[in-house]
Every structure is written in structure tokens, then in C-alpha cells.
Amino acid sequence: MEQENLKLLSDVNHTIIKFRGVYSEWSGRHGISYNEMLVLYTIRENSYCTQKQICENYLLPKQTIHNVIARMRKAGYLVCDESHNNGREKAFVLSQKGKAYAACFMESLDSMETRALETLGKEKLQALTQSVREYSMALYQALDEPR
């Protein structure tokens, strides 16, 4: 591979890894796992979550998210929500205990993301999102192409 292309690909991969690392660091500072943060993040986004939703959104193994959801249910933070269930797929929402548990985490996360958005600006963040989305689709397409 050409050296310039190798550097470009390394730079983008390091950047994405560091980007995800910020969320991992935030989670650790708040005493929760990165995967638990993804469950809370998904609930913040959709008002509920399913195991399949989280696995597909973040490309995580089913067993990993199953274990996180099981721990959160056992702690009383998540309850099954029949209104969002889809066949065999169970949907979960925060219980009252879960809402109290998650409130300080999500306020902190909202604040961090809002400050970063204000620093970067909406237009740059939208352009970044579109570029990363296009790159991801190009990678998937290349993954399926025979060589």
C-alpha cells in the first residue's frame, strides 16, 4: 500500500478509536461500563431499547449486551416494556429506580456532548457524521467485494 494512503487510513482509524475512547473514559469516571452507557444512550435516544437494537447499532455481540441488560434488570434499573415488544424481541425501559440511577450520568453526558458541539459547531459535526457514514458504507462494500 502506498505510504500516503497507509498514513491516511491509520489516522482515521486512530481518530475513531480515540473518539470511542472518550466515551469509554467518561463511563469509567462515572463507575459504569462502556456497554452500560450504550444501553442508557439508546434509551435516551429512543425512550426504550432492545438487545438487537444495541447490537446492530454498535456492532456488539449479543451475549455481551444480554449480560449487561440482565445485570441492569437484576439491579432494578430496567423493566420490560410490553408496548415496544416486537414478537420475540423484548424492549426495555428505565424503571423509576433506573431513572434516578441514570439521571446524573445522562446529565453529565448531555453536558459534555453539548460543550463539544458548541466548540465544533453543528455544520462541522454534520459534515463529520456524513463523511464517517460514507466511509463506513465504503468499507462494508469493500468487505464484500472478492479480491
Side-chain angles (χ1 to χ4, degrees):
M1 178 181 292
E2 188 179 311
Q3 195 63 31
E4 183 180 340
N5 290 345
L6 183 61
K7 177 162 178 15
L8 183 60
L9 292 169
S10 291
D11 286 350
V12 74
N13 283 314
H14 290 146
T15 300
I16 290 168
I17 290 166
K18 286 181 180 180
F19 173 82
R20 291 187 63 176
V22 171
Y23 283 91
S24 182
E25 174 72 20
W26 177 90
S27 298
R29 288 183 184 187
H30 288 84
I32 63 173
S33 74
Y34 177 76
N35 293 328
E36 186 175 340
M37 185 270 306
L38 294 177
V39 170
L40 295 174
Y41 203 92
T42 303
I43 292 172
R44 178 185 77 173
E45 183 179 347
N46 301 310
S47 76
Y48 70 95
C49 73
T50 67
Q51 179 179 314
K52 181 179 179 182
Q53 198 178 35
I54 296 167
C55 292
E56 288 178 356
N57 285 349
Y58 302 107
L59 300 176
L60 294 168
K62 290 179 184 178
Q63 191 61 41
T64 299
I65 296 306
H66 171 78
N67 291 338
V68 171
I69 288 175
R71 278 193 308 274
M72 292 178 77
R73 288 183 75 188
K74 186 176 180 182
Y77 301 144
L78 293 180
V79 292
C80 192
D81 180 33
E82 299 292 331
S83 68
H84 289 101
N85 284 355
N86 182 8
R88 292 180 42 209
E89 193 175 345
K90 291 182 181 176
F92 301 96
V93 296
L94 290 171
S95 64
Q96 288 303 324
K97 182 178 179 181
K99 288 176 184 177
Y101 170 75
C104 67
F105 299 136
M106 300 318 287
E107 287 174 20
S108 171
L109 185 60
D110 288 348
S111 176
M112 179 185 76
E113 289 177 327
T114 298
R115 289 190 315 271
L117 175 59
E118 290 168 352
T119 299
L120 191 61
K122 284 183 182 180
E123 287 181 14
K124 281 187 179 179
L125 191 56
Q126 288 169 338
L128 172 66
T129 302
Q130 183 62 30
S131 294
V132 171
R133 185 176 291 126
E134 289 174 14
Y135 180 59
S136 178
M137 289 186 331
L139 281 173
Y140 268 115
Q141 184 178 5
L143 178 67
D144 292 334
E145 291 175 0
R147 282 284 174 172

